[in-house]
Amino acid sequence: QWRIQQEIFNKGTSRRIWGELYKVVDASDVLVFVLDARDPMGTRCLQLERELRRRQKHVVLLLNKVDLVPTWVTRRWVQELMKEFPTLAFHASITNPFGKNSLLNLLRQFGNLLKDKKHVTIGMVGYPNVGKSSVINTLKRKTVCKAAPVPGETRVWQYIALTRKLYLLDCPGIVPPSPSDFEADCAKVLKGVVRAERLKTPSDYIHEVLQRVKKPYLLQRYKLAPDTTWNDSEEFLTILGKKMGKLVKGGDADIDTTARIVLYDWQ
């Protein structure tokens, strides 16, 4: 059982996935790192960025899911990350995107810069579930890449023509190897690397969610009374489970089912 749990947390670190990644790196003229706006530094792969600098590849950082954080947070992160690479804020949506024109203009500039090339290939890389496929679908204004709200949907790389000159490459999510301890596992769960339904005890990871999300937002999200209080994650899950009607025999709250719902909402 321990081995199965380890396999779950090692998703995205396999030799096959990294093999796919390096195919994308070799084939690409420009690499777009898709980051989660809620945890930009946590979803960066510094090891890979160093390798790309060594290979003198063009790198762009794309701060996706900016609709999930306040505007001032996005602005500060863009200012900070711009010190290292060109950085854009983005919200992937076919119907109501943000940052799409800025990204298209930047990619066209790379196309002009690399005018000696017949085709310019742009590789999309990043952690599982940061929205790489959704970004491509947004640029194409239709579903061309299979995207899902769970990690691990993209399994092999795929080419998509954006214009006659620009081609996009979608790549499976990659996860740098990390120590096998609770802190590292918790970080993977909150980054969306691990599917909540695969966790044996999802309630273990709710404490970190409560640390990161301010109480008023939790009360608003789950429509709890303004005077609702809790001392720990178990008490919070008990209150929420009873409110949602997630109960086990005897009328007690189903802690793990409720915890999975909270993790899905976070991811």
Side-chain angles (χ1 to χ4, degrees), residues 1-14 180 185 188 193-194 198:
Q1 207 156 32
W2 179 83
R3 194 180 294 125
I4 292 168
Q5 198 68 2
Q6 282 307 106
E7 282 174 15
I8 291 168
F9 280 99
N10 286 338
K11 294 293 179 192
T13 61
S14 71
S180 183
D185 290 349
K188 285 183 180 180
V193 172
V194 181
R198 305 288 301 276

Side-chain angles (χ1 to χ4, degrees), residues 3 21 45 58 60 91 115 118 137 168 197 210 261:
R3 194 180 294 125
L21 168 72
C45 185
H58 297 288
V60 175
H91 165 44
K115 52 178 175 280
K118 188 178 177 184
N137 292 339
L168 300 171
E197 74 264 20
L210 298 183
I261 291 169

Side-chain angles (χ1 to χ4, degrees), residues 180-197:
S180 183
D181 57 26
F182 178 75
E183 196 174 324
D185 290 349
C186 190
K188 285 183 180 180
V189 170
L190 295 191
K191 285 172 194 172
V193 172
V194 181
R195 299 189 187 199
E197 74 264 20

Side-chain angles (χ1 to χ4, degrees), residues 33 45-55 85:
F33 273 86
C45 185
L46 299 173
Q47 170 192 343
L48 182 58
E49 286 175 23
R50 282 194 293 271
E51 174 67 15
L52 295 178
R53 269 206 173 109
R54 194 180 64 77
R55 295 189 187 199
F85 297 107

Side-chain angles (χ1 to χ4, degrees), residues 107-146:
L107 296 181
R108 286 193 188 105
Q109 284 174 28
F110 278 115
N112 295 332
L113 182 69
L114 302 164
K115 52 178 175 280
D116 54 320
K117 286 182 173 283
K118 188 178 177 184
H119 299 297
V120 173
T121 304
I122 297 120
M124 313 295 288
V125 294
Y127 269 73
N129 213 36
V130 290
K132 298 179 294 298
S133 301
S134 298
V135 168
I136 292 176
N137 292 339
T138 301
L139 294 175
K140 286 291 287 180
R141 283 189 298 180
K142 61 181 180 182
T143 303
V144 289
C145 290
K146 198 175 176 188

